[in-house]
Amino acid sequence: MFTKQELKEFCDNARLNYLDHISIDCVIFGFHEGQLKVLVLKVKGEDAWYLPGGFVLKKEPLDTAANRILKDRTGLDKIFLQQFHVFGDPDRSRPHNEMYRDLIPPEENWFSHRFLTIGYYALVDFVHANPTPDSHSEMCAWRDLNDLPKLELDHGLILKTALDTLRLQLNYQPIGYNLMPKEFTMPELQKLYETILGQKLDRRNFQRRMLGFGILNRLDRPRKGGAHKAPYLYSFDLKNYQDALKEGLKGGW
Amino acid sequence: MFTKQELKEFCDNARLNYLDHISIDCVIFGFHEGQLKVLVLKVKGEDAWYLPGGFVLKKEPLDTAANRILKDRTGLDKIFLQQFHVFGDPDRSRPHNEMYRDLIPPEENWFSHRFLTIGYYALVDFVHANPTPDSHSEMCAWRDLNDLPKLELDHGLILKTALDTLRLQLNYQPIGYNLMPKEFTMPELQKLYETILGQKLDRRNFQRRMLGFGILNRLDRPRKGGAHKAPYLYSFDLKNYQDALKEGLKGGW
DNA sequence: CACCATGGTGTATTTATAACACAATACTAT
DNA sequence: ATAGTATTGTGTTATAAATACACCATGGTG
């Protein structure tokens, strides 16, 4: 993965610029052709897959770092991105800690210590994202949730936790603005929900519920060209959408 | 707060044993006499208040560290304790970073860098907790939520975030096992919910809802000695309670 | 022993959720 | 053309949950 020289340079640079022992890993969800996708990276010359991640600059806010990582991997900015958990098992980064053990002495090896990672998850527009590998990856690609490679370290757990969080979030926050194109039909939006939740929903009740939230505008023209009855197009009412994000869709109590 | 000698010893010890740049802060909630309480610490000889906190041993899991801190401050163990957010503003610990700037050189000063803190919140039994100050505090005390001293650093924000999380949690998880005594009456439990939520609830609907969850056992004896009709005593059905904790009280969708 | 504050239980009303039916549309096959 | 078919739009009904409110029971007080 790294030659000795590369490693030394990376470590010297990292020690100077990044917070020690801290990383950020991002679970970046996209939606395409009825499938929920996740962005994953493949290491150069190895069959090893990771979530996009990175480190925190010494004076950089955490959210800014996560946004920077997101932008580096997708080109996208100003998007729903949320911290959801810290993963800090003492052994979680052991494979990495030991990977370079014999290459350079531990005191020069920035990776020789335990790392905590802060998990963020993002919902992004599949078609506008431009997956871009980082310097030690040969590939940055969308993978279907049902067709994932085994992820290294605890990245499988991180992904699962993000998905659980997303499903929970669906109960009290609007979802979709960043995952759907600007204009979309109700069946397309429903497909997104069904995919995230992993279950079928009733078409008519779904529509009533969505419209009830007041976050959708119906455009007075249909999507043409389909093989059947042309569905109406909708767009999100951004103002109401963001109000709902703050408030939570329903109160409870 | 520290003499130069004390500081040096602390730093040498910390560098050896703890993860750098990481702390844990705990928002420990208790409930007593109809009031929601939070455990806070007062620094020796200063009018400065903090949330209970501490550091993570080099090979210690995060949850274990949080439990250790909780036990050190309250004597209590095996209690609802949950990570809820990481606070990582680059300036959040600046007052601390600068506090000892002139006392010892930065390379010897463990506090000279930015700290991230992982927020945990706990719900504990007020009467069984034994508030115990740590080494640099003169006092560890319960304070009413409505009568809080100004907290140092971003501890006010940490507390507020914990409270928001707790209120949200109330919608889909059972609460109360660790906050209530073993046996309690329905009005007492209701008071807890009202206090957390900051609003009145209907007595009869509250009772129906709670019983509907199936997490309460009614003991066939009343609480005697009150000035009015004696209410029944209840206890939590621990098995069902823990099942509900896992499942979430309601599904949504 | 009437009074009263509180607790236990029951019942309407309203609201939300779930289940289901039918008409309209636009392409396909013949 | 035209019947067939898959899909969408828009209901209506049935069920369950949340809310609001009424009444009786109890155990102390004056």
Side-chain angles (χ1 to χ4, degrees), chain B residues 98-138:
Chain B
E98 296 180 349
M99 197 179 288
Y100 309 115
R101 197 173 35 183
D102 305 322
L103 212 54
I104 61 176
E107 64 273 14
E108 292 179 26
N109 185 355
W110 195 66
F111 289 113
S112 69
H113 296 98
R114 169 181 178 185
F115 267 74
L116 307 191
T117 198
I118 304 171
Y120 276 78
Y121 80 98
L123 307 176
V124 311
D125 180 353
F126 181 91
V127 295
H128 288 119
N130 178 27
T132 310
D134 61 21
S135 58
H136 68 276
S137 303
E138 71 182 35

mmCIF file of all heavy atoms in Angstrom, chain B residues 98-138:
data_model
loop_
_atom_site.group_PDB
_atom_site.id
_atom_site.type_symbol
_atom_site.label_atom_id
_atom_site.label_comp_id
_atom_site.label_asym_id
_atom_site.label_seq_id
_atom_site.Cartn_x
_atom_site.Cartn_y
_atom_site.Cartn_z
ATOM 1 N N GLU B 98 -5.028 27.389 27.294
ATOM 2 C CA GLU B 98 -4.243 28.582 27.629
ATOM 3 C C GLU B 98 -3.998 28.724 29.121
ATOM 4 O O GLU B 98 -3.104 29.433 29.549
ATOM 5 C CB GLU B 98 -4.971 29.833 27.103
ATOM 6 C CG GLU B 98 -5.055 29.829 25.589
ATOM 7 C CD GLU B 98 -5.766 31.052 25.047
ATOM 8 O OE1 GLU B 98 -6.370 31.788 25.839
ATOM 9 O OE2 GLU B 98 -5.721 31.248 23.814
ATOM 10 N N MET B 99 -4.815 28.007 29.896
ATOM 11 C CA MET B 99 -4.770 28.174 31.348
ATOM 12 C C MET B 99 -3.382 27.945 31.919
ATOM 13 O O MET B 99 -2.931 28.640 32.803
ATOM 14 C CB MET B 99 -5.778 27.202 31.987
ATOM 15 C CG MET B 99 -6.124 27.534 33.408
ATOM 16 S SD MET B 99 -7.331 26.351 34.040
ATOM 17 C CE MET B 99 -8.813 26.800 33.184
ATOM 18 N N TYR B 100 -2.700 26.925 31.382
ATOM 19 C CA TYR B 100 -1.400 26.559 31.958
ATOM 20 C C TYR B 100 -0.246 26.937 31.035
ATOM 21 O O TYR B 100 0.869 26.449 31.189
ATOM 22 C CB TYR B 100 -1.362 25.055 32.221
ATOM 23 C CG TYR B 100 -2.547 24.572 33.006
ATOM 24 C CD1 TYR B 100 -3.465 23.704 32.444
ATOM 25 C CD2 TYR B 100 -2.744 24.999 34.318
ATOM 26 C CE1 TYR B 100 -4.555 23.264 33.163
ATOM 27 C CE2 TYR B 100 -3.832 24.567 35.047
ATOM 28 C CZ TYR B 100 -4.736 23.703 34.461
ATOM 29 O OH TYR B 100 -5.808 23.275 35.169
ATOM 30 N N ARG B 101 -0.547 27.792 30.062
ATOM 31 C CA ARG B 101 0.416 28.081 29.012
ATOM 32 C C ARG B 101 1.768 28.520 29.571
ATOM 33 O O ARG B 101 2.818 28.119 29.098
ATOM 34 C CB ARG B 101 -0.145 29.163 28.091
ATOM 35 C CG ARG B 101 0.549 29.249 26.771
ATOM 36 C CD ARG B 101 -0.171 30.223 25.874
ATOM 37 N NE ARG B 101 -0.726 31.359 26.638
ATOM 38 C CZ ARG B 101 -1.451 32.318 26.101
ATOM 39 N NH1 ARG B 101 -1.721 32.279 24.807
ATOM 40 N NH2 ARG B 101 -1.917 33.308 26.834
ATOM 41 N N ASP B 102 1.699 29.383 30.612
ATOM 42 C CA ASP B 102 2.944 29.961 31.098
ATOM 43 C C ASP B 102 3.552 29.175 32.247
ATOM 44 O O ASP B 102 4.621 29.516 32.742
ATOM 45 C CB ASP B 102 2.698 31.407 31.541
ATOM 46 C CG ASP B 102 2.076 32.216 30.419
ATOM 47 O OD1 ASP B 102 2.470 31.993 29.262
ATOM 48 O OD2 ASP B 102 1.189 33.041 30.703
ATOM 49 N N LEU B 103 2.831 28.120 32.662
ATOM 50 C CA LEU B 103 3.289 27.375 33.826
ATOM 51 C C LEU B 103 4.368 26.366 33.442
ATOM 52 O O LEU B 103 5.398 26.255 34.108
ATOM 53 C CB LEU B 103 2.098 26.656 34.470
ATOM 54 C CG LEU B 103 2.145 26.487 35.984
ATOM 55 C CD1 LEU B 103 2.354 27.831 36.665
ATOM 56 C CD2 LEU B 103 0.860 25.849 36.484
ATOM 57 N N ILE B 104 4.121 25.624 32.395
ATOM 58 C CA ILE B 104 5.123 24.682 31.902
ATOM 59 C C ILE B 104 5.130 24.739 30.384
ATOM 60 O O ILE B 104 4.156 25.134 29.767
ATOM 61 C CB ILE B 104 4.845 23.220 32.363
ATOM 62 C CG1 ILE B 104 3.491 22.734 31.842
ATOM 63 C CG2 ILE B 104 4.885 23.126 33.871
ATOM 64 C CD1 ILE B 104 3.203 21.294 32.177
ATOM 65 N N PRO B 105 6.249 24.355 29.775
ATOM 66 C CA PRO B 105 6.362 24.469 28.315
ATOM 67 C C PRO B 105 5.330 23.578 27.611
ATOM 68 O O PRO B 105 4.986 22.516 28.128
ATOM 69 C CB PRO B 105 7.788 23.976 28.024
ATOM 70 C CG PRO B 105 8.392 23.562 29.310
ATOM 71 C CD PRO B 105 7.450 23.805 30.415
ATOM 72 N N PRO B 106 4.889 24.015 26.447
ATOM 73 C CA PRO B 106 3.814 23.327 25.740
ATOM 74 C C PRO B 106 4.101 21.849 25.481
ATOM 75 O O PRO B 106 3.187 21.029 25.537
ATOM 76 C CB PRO B 106 3.695 24.087 24.422
ATOM 77 C CG PRO B 106 4.550 25.277 24.533
ATOM 78 C CD PRO B 106 5.342 25.223 25.767
ATOM 79 N N GLU B 107 5.375 21.516 25.207
ATOM 80 C CA GLU B 107 5.644 20.114 24.876
ATOM 81 C C GLU B 107 5.515 19.214 26.102
ATOM 82 O O GLU B 107 5.373 18.008 25.989
ATOM 83 C CB GLU B 107 7.018 19.952 24.213
ATOM 84 C CG GLU B 107 8.203 20.304 25.085
ATOM 85 C CD GLU B 107 8.524 21.799 25.012
ATOM 86 O OE1 GLU B 107 7.669 22.564 24.497
ATOM 87 O OE2 GLU B 107 9.604 22.192 25.478
ATOM 88 N N GLU B 108 5.544 19.822 27.293
ATOM 89 C CA GLU B 108 5.324 19.022 28.503
ATOM 90 C C GLU B 108 3.871 19.100 28.951
ATOM 91 O O GLU B 108 3.440 18.368 29.833
ATOM 92 C CB GLU B 108 6.201 19.527 29.664
ATOM 93 C CG GLU B 108 7.674 19.286 29.458
ATOM 94 C CD GLU B 108 8.476 19.824 30.637
ATOM 95 O OE1 GLU B 108 7.903 19.898 31.758
ATOM 96 O OE2 GLU B 108 9.646 20.194 30.447
ATOM 97 N N ASN B 109 3.135 20.006 28.322
ATOM 98 C CA ASN B 109 1.773 20.287 28.794
ATOM 99 C C ASN B 109 0.751 19.480 28.011
ATOM 100 O O ASN B 109 0.447 19.770 26.856
ATOM 101 C CB ASN B 109 1.492 21.789 28.653
ATOM 102 C CG ASN B 109 0.143 22.147 29.243
ATOM 103 O OD1 ASN B 109 -0.612 21.271 29.678
ATOM 104 N ND2 ASN B 109 -0.159 23.430 29.240
ATOM 105 N N TRP B 110 0.210 18.502 28.667
ATOM 106 C CA TRP B 110 -0.740 17.591 28.030
ATOM 107 C C TRP B 110 -2.006 18.321 27.595
ATOM 108 O O TRP B 110 -2.719 17.893 26.718
ATOM 109 C CB TRP B 110 -1.095 16.475 29.011
ATOM 110 C CG TRP B 110 -1.763 15.302 28.402
ATOM 111 C CD1 TRP B 110 -1.221 14.430 27.505
ATOM 112 C CD2 TRP B 110 -3.099 14.852 28.656
ATOM 113 N NE1 TRP B 110 -2.132 13.455 27.190
ATOM 114 C CE2 TRP B 110 -3.300 13.683 27.876
ATOM 115 C CE3 TRP B 110 -4.136 15.303 29.466
ATOM 116 C CZ2 TRP B 110 -4.487 12.975 27.887
ATOM 117 C CZ3 TRP B 110 -5.317 14.594 29.481
ATOM 118 C CH2 TRP B 110 -5.500 13.450 28.690
ATOM 119 N N PHE B 111 -2.260 19.454 28.260
ATOM 120 C CA PHE B 111 -3.489 20.212 27.974
ATOM 121 C C PHE B 111 -3.306 21.244 26.872
ATOM 122 O O PHE B 111 -4.226 22.001 26.580
ATOM 123 C CB PHE B 111 -3.969 20.942 29.230
ATOM 124 C CG PHE B 111 -4.514 20.019 30.275
ATOM 125 C CD1 PHE B 111 -3.847 19.851 31.476
ATOM 126 C CD2 PHE B 111 -5.693 19.326 30.049
ATOM 127 C CE1 PHE B 111 -4.356 19.001 32.442
ATOM 128 C CE2 PHE B 111 -6.196 18.483 31.023
ATOM 129 C CZ PHE B 111 -5.523 18.311 32.222
ATOM 130 N N SER B 112 -2.107 21.305 26.294
ATOM 131 C CA SER B 112 -1.848 22.424 25.379
ATOM 132 C C SER B 112 -2.540 22.263 24.032
ATOM 133 O O SER B 112 -2.531 23.181 23.236
ATOM 134 C CB SER B 112 -0.341 22.583 25.162
ATOM 135 O OG SER B 112 0.158 21.491 24.422
ATOM 136 N N HIS B 113 -3.121 21.110 23.779
ATOM 137 C CA HIS B 113 -3.768 20.911 22.483
ATOM 138 C C HIS B 113 -5.283 20.925 22.587
ATOM 139 O O HIS B 113 -5.851 20.754 23.649
ATOM 140 C CB HIS B 113 -3.315 19.576 21.882
ATOM 141 C CG HIS B 113 -1.862 19.519 21.569
ATOM 142 N ND1 HIS B 113 -0.952 18.935 22.419
ATOM 143 C CD2 HIS B 113 -1.149 19.991 20.529
ATOM 144 C CE1 HIS B 113 0.260 19.037 21.907
ATOM 145 N NE2 HIS B 113 0.173 19.682 20.757
ATOM 146 N N ARG B 114 -5.851 21.090 21.427
ATOM 147 C CA ARG B 114 -7.286 20.945 21.248
ATOM 148 C C ARG B 114 -7.770 19.593 21.774
ATOM 149 O O ARG B 114 -7.147 18.569 21.546
ATOM 150 C CB ARG B 114 -7.563 21.047 19.738
ATOM 151 C CG ARG B 114 -8.938 20.682 19.309
ATOM 152 C CD ARG B 114 -9.012 20.808 17.791
ATOM 153 N NE ARG B 114 -10.303 20.429 17.294
ATOM 154 C CZ ARG B 114 -10.614 20.344 16.006
ATOM 155 N NH1 ARG B 114 -9.683 20.641 15.084
ATOM 156 N NH2 ARG B 114 -11.809 20.000 15.610
ATOM 157 N N PHE B 115 -8.911 19.610 22.456
ATOM 158 C CA PHE B 115 -9.521 18.362 22.915
ATOM 159 C C PHE B 115 -10.873 18.132 22.245
ATOM 160 O O PHE B 115 -11.670 19.065 22.122
ATOM 161 C CB PHE B 115 -9.733 18.406 24.437
ATOM 162 C CG PHE B 115 -8.603 17.817 25.215
ATOM 163 C CD1 PHE B 115 -7.396 18.510 25.342
ATOM 164 C CD2 PHE B 115 -8.719 16.580 25.821
ATOM 165 C CE1 PHE B 115 -6.342 17.962 26.056
ATOM 166 C CE2 PHE B 115 -7.674 16.032 26.534
ATOM 167 C CZ PHE B 115 -6.472 16.727 26.645
ATOM 168 N N LEU B 116 -11.078 16.891 21.829
ATOM 169 C CA LEU B 116 -12.437 16.487 21.471
ATOM 170 C C LEU B 116 -13.056 15.867 22.707
ATOM 171 O O LEU B 116 -12.389 15.182 23.461
ATOM 172 C CB LEU B 116 -12.455 15.415 20.374
ATOM 173 C CG LEU B 116 -11.693 15.645 19.078
ATOM 174 C CD1 LEU B 116 -12.080 14.570 18.065
ATOM 175 C CD2 LEU B 116 -11.988 17.018 18.514
ATOM 176 N N THR B 117 -14.345 16.060 22.889
ATOM 177 C CA THR B 117 -14.984 15.350 23.989
ATOM 178 C C THR B 117 -16.173 14.564 23.475
ATOM 179 O O THR B 117 -16.929 15.027 22.616
ATOM 180 C CB THR B 117 -15.413 16.304 25.116
ATOM 181 O OG1 THR B 117 -15.627 15.518 26.298
ATOM 182 C CG2 THR B 117 -16.702 17.052 24.787
ATOM 183 N N ILE B 118 -16.293 13.359 24.003
ATOM 184 C CA ILE B 118 -17.404 12.495 23.623
ATOM 185 C C ILE B 118 -18.465 12.617 24.706
ATOM 186 O O ILE B 118 -18.183 12.404 25.886
ATOM 187 C CB ILE B 118 -16.942 11.038 23.476
ATOM 188 C CG1 ILE B 118 -15.790 10.969 22.481
ATOM 189 C CG2 ILE B 118 -18.095 10.150 23.054
ATOM 190 C CD1 ILE B 118 -15.122 9.625 22.407
ATOM 191 N N GLY B 119 -19.651 13.024 24.324
ATOM 192 C CA GLY B 119 -20.728 13.217 25.285
ATOM 193 C C GLY B 119 -21.482 11.924 25.554
ATOM 194 O O GLY B 119 -21.889 11.233 24.620
ATOM 195 N N TYR B 120 -21.639 11.579 26.815
ATOM 196 C CA TYR B 120 -22.468 10.446 27.234
ATOM 197 C C TYR B 120 -23.560 10.987 28.144
ATOM 198 O O TYR B 120 -23.351 11.960 28.860
ATOM 199 C CB TYR B 120 -21.646 9.420 28.022
ATOM 200 C CG TYR B 120 -20.898 8.434 27.163
ATOM 201 C CD1 TYR B 120 -19.703 8.797 26.536
ATOM 202 C CD2 TYR B 120 -21.366 7.138 26.974
ATOM 203 C CE1 TYR B 120 -19.004 7.887 25.751
ATOM 204 C CE2 TYR B 120 -20.674 6.221 26.195
ATOM 205 C CZ TYR B 120 -19.502 6.599 25.594
ATOM 206 O OH TYR B 120 -18.821 5.707 24.809
ATOM 207 N N TYR B 121 -24.713 10.358 28.109
ATOM 208 C CA TYR B 121 -25.674 10.718 29.141
ATOM 209 C C TYR B 121 -26.177 9.480 29.855
ATOM 210 O O TYR B 121 -26.253 8.395 29.277
ATOM 211 C CB TYR B 121 -26.806 11.579 28.600
ATOM 212 C CG TYR B 121 -27.914 10.875 27.878
ATOM 213 C CD1 TYR B 121 -29.109 10.567 28.533
ATOM 214 C CD2 TYR B 121 -27.799 10.558 26.542
ATOM 215 C CE1 TYR B 121 -30.153 9.943 27.868
ATOM 216 C CE2 TYR B 121 -28.827 9.933 25.872
ATOM 217 C CZ TYR B 121 -29.995 9.633 26.536
ATOM 218 O OH TYR B 121 -31.016 9.014 25.884
ATOM 219 N N ALA B 122 -26.469 9.657 31.136
ATOM 220 C CA ALA B 122 -26.861 8.543 31.986
ATOM 221 C C ALA B 122 -28.099 8.922 32.775
ATOM 222 O O ALA B 122 -28.329 10.085 33.087
ATOM 223 C CB ALA B 122 -25.727 8.180 32.942
ATOM 224 N N LEU B 123 -28.901 7.919 33.067
ATOM 225 C CA LEU B 123 -30.060 8.110 33.926
ATOM 226 C C LEU B 123 -29.832 7.271 35.172
ATOM 227 O O LEU B 123 -29.703 6.052 35.076
ATOM 228 C CB LEU B 123 -31.332 7.645 33.201
ATOM 229 C CG LEU B 123 -31.559 8.261 31.822
ATOM 230 C CD1 LEU B 123 -32.788 7.671 31.162
ATOM 231 C CD2 LEU B 123 -31.706 9.763 31.955
ATOM 232 N N VAL B 124 -29.761 7.910 36.320
ATOM 233 C CA VAL B 124 -29.411 7.165 37.529
ATOM 234 C C VAL B 124 -30.429 7.384 38.647
ATOM 235 O O VAL B 124 -31.183 8.358 38.649
ATOM 236 C CB VAL B 124 -28.004 7.555 38.045
ATOM 237 C CG1 VAL B 124 -26.985 7.516 36.910
ATOM 238 C CG2 VAL B 124 -28.016 8.918 38.684
ATOM 239 N N ASP B 125 -30.388 6.468 39.578
ATOM 240 C CA ASP B 125 -31.274 6.516 40.734
ATOM 241 C C ASP B 125 -30.736 7.540 41.734
ATOM 242 O O ASP B 125 -29.676 7.352 42.327
ATOM 243 C CB ASP B 125 -31.336 5.124 41.359
ATOM 244 C CG ASP B 125 -32.239 5.089 42.568
ATOM 245 O OD1 ASP B 125 -32.709 6.163 43.009
ATOM 246 O OD2 ASP B 125 -32.479 3.984 43.079
ATOM 247 N N PHE B 126 -31.502 8.615 41.916
ATOM 248 C CA PHE B 126 -31.036 9.724 42.742
ATOM 249 C C PHE B 126 -30.640 9.280 44.158
ATOM 250 O O PHE B 126 -29.580 9.642 44.656
ATOM 251 C CB PHE B 126 -32.137 10.785 42.831
ATOM 252 C CG PHE B 126 -31.762 12.001 43.630
ATOM 253 C CD1 PHE B 126 -31.184 13.086 43.002
ATOM 254 C CD2 PHE B 126 -31.996 12.055 44.992
ATOM 255 C CE1 PHE B 126 -30.837 14.217 43.728
ATOM 256 C CE2 PHE B 126 -31.647 13.184 45.725
ATOM 257 C CZ PHE B 126 -31.071 14.260 45.083
ATOM 258 N N VAL B 127 -31.467 8.481 44.789
ATOM 259 C CA VAL B 127 -31.209 8.174 46.211
ATOM 260 C C VAL B 127 -30.037 7.225 46.407
ATOM 261 O O VAL B 127 -29.410 7.220 47.465
ATOM 262 C CB VAL B 127 -32.465 7.609 46.919
ATOM 263 C CG1 VAL B 127 -33.559 8.659 46.958
ATOM 264 C CG2 VAL B 127 -32.961 6.351 46.249
ATOM 265 N N HIS B 128 -29.744 6.401 45.395
ATOM 266 C CA HIS B 128 -28.624 5.480 45.559
ATOM 267 C C HIS B 128 -27.305 6.044 45.058
ATOM 268 O O HIS B 128 -26.245 5.463 45.284
ATOM 269 C CB HIS B 128 -28.930 4.150 44.865
ATOM 270 C CG HIS B 128 -29.953 3.335 45.581
ATOM 271 N ND1 HIS B 128 -31.154 2.972 45.010
ATOM 272 C CD2 HIS B 128 -29.982 2.838 46.840
ATOM 273 C CE1 HIS B 128 -31.858 2.277 45.884
ATOM 274 N NE2 HIS B 128 -31.181 2.178 47.006
ATOM 275 N N ALA B 129 -27.377 7.160 44.373
ATOM 276 C CA ALA B 129 -26.142 7.771 43.887
ATOM 277 C C ALA B 129 -25.427 8.450 45.054
ATOM 278 O O ALA B 129 -26.056 9.010 45.948
ATOM 279 C CB ALA B 129 -26.455 8.795 42.800
ATOM 280 N N ASN B 130 -24.132 8.368 45.010
ATOM 281 C CA ASN B 130 -23.322 8.964 46.071
ATOM 282 C C ASN B 130 -22.335 9.940 45.450
ATOM 283 O O ASN B 130 -21.207 9.581 45.145
ATOM 284 C CB ASN B 130 -22.580 7.836 46.815
ATOM 285 C CG ASN B 130 -21.686 8.379 47.898
ATOM 286 O OD1 ASN B 130 -21.934 9.446 48.443
ATOM 287 N ND2 ASN B 130 -20.630 7.639 48.191
ATOM 288 N N PRO B 131 -22.779 11.180 45.242
ATOM 289 C CA PRO B 131 -21.951 12.135 44.491
ATOM 290 C C PRO B 131 -20.582 12.330 45.134
ATOM 291 O O PRO B 131 -20.494 12.641 46.326
ATOM 292 C CB PRO B 131 -22.768 13.437 44.567
ATOM 293 C CG PRO B 131 -24.167 12.981 44.788
ATOM 294 C CD PRO B 131 -24.057 11.761 45.647
ATOM 295 N N THR B 132 -19.546 12.138 44.340
ATOM 296 C CA THR B 132 -18.180 12.149 44.852
ATOM 297 C C THR B 132 -17.320 13.036 43.967
ATOM 298 O O THR B 132 -17.190 12.767 42.773
ATOM 299 C CB THR B 132 -17.601 10.720 44.813
ATOM 300 O OG1 THR B 132 -18.533 9.829 45.429
ATOM 301 C CG2 THR B 132 -16.265 10.653 45.512
ATOM 302 N N PRO B 133 -16.739 14.079 44.524
ATOM 303 C CA PRO B 133 -15.919 14.973 43.698
ATOM 304 C C PRO B 133 -14.656 14.277 43.213
ATOM 305 O O PRO B 133 -14.204 13.310 43.833
ATOM 306 C CB PRO B 133 -15.581 16.131 44.647
ATOM 307 C CG PRO B 133 -15.933 15.678 46.010
ATOM 308 C CD PRO B 133 -16.849 14.517 45.911
ATOM 309 N N ASP B 134 -14.102 14.739 42.103
ATOM 310 C CA ASP B 134 -12.807 14.207 41.683
ATOM 311 C C ASP B 134 -11.705 15.055 42.301
ATOM 312 O O ASP B 134 -11.967 15.955 43.084
ATOM 313 C CB ASP B 134 -12.718 14.144 40.156
ATOM 314 C CG ASP B 134 -12.845 15.513 39.501
ATOM 315 O OD1 ASP B 134 -12.614 16.530 40.190
ATOM 316 O OD2 ASP B 134 -13.201 15.565 38.321
ATOM 317 N N SER B 135 -10.441 14.759 41.937
ATOM 318 C CA SER B 135 -9.309 15.313 42.682
ATOM 319 C C SER B 135 -9.184 16.829 42.575
ATOM 320 O O SER B 135 -8.629 17.452 43.467
ATOM 321 C CB SER B 135 -8.019 14.644 42.214
ATOM 322 O OG SER B 135 -7.863 14.852 40.820
ATOM 323 N N HIS B 136 -9.666 17.434 41.513
ATOM 324 C CA HIS B 136 -9.504 18.883 41.442
ATOM 325 C C HIS B 136 -10.813 19.639 41.703
ATOM 326 O O HIS B 136 -10.941 20.813 41.418
ATOM 327 C CB HIS B 136 -8.871 19.316 40.122
ATOM 328 C CG HIS B 136 -9.738 19.103 38.924
ATOM 329 N ND1 HIS B 136 -9.812 17.899 38.280
ATOM 330 C CD2 HIS B 136 -10.573 19.922 38.257
ATOM 331 C CE1 HIS B 136 -10.635 17.994 37.270
ATOM 332 N NE2 HIS B 136 -11.127 19.206 37.237
ATOM 333 N N SER B 137 -11.790 18.907 42.257
ATOM 334 C CA SER B 137 -13.064 19.544 42.584
ATOM 335 C C SER B 137 -13.275 19.538 44.084
ATOM 336 O O SER B 137 -12.805 18.653 44.794
ATOM 337 C CB SER B 137 -14.219 18.787 41.912
ATOM 338 O OG SER B 137 -14.022 18.733 40.525
ATOM 339 N N GLU B 138 -13.997 20.533 44.536
ATOM 340 C CA GLU B 138 -14.285 20.564 45.973
ATOM 341 C C GLU B 138 -15.697 20.076 46.243
ATOM 342 O O GLU B 138 -16.093 19.922 47.383
ATOM 343 C CB GLU B 138 -14.106 21.982 46.515
ATOM 344 C CG GLU B 138 -15.180 22.958 46.060
ATOM 345 C CD GLU B 138 -14.929 24.378 46.575
ATOM 346 O OE1 GLU B 138 -13.753 24.771 46.670
ATOM 347 O OE2 GLU B 138 -15.906 25.067 46.882
#
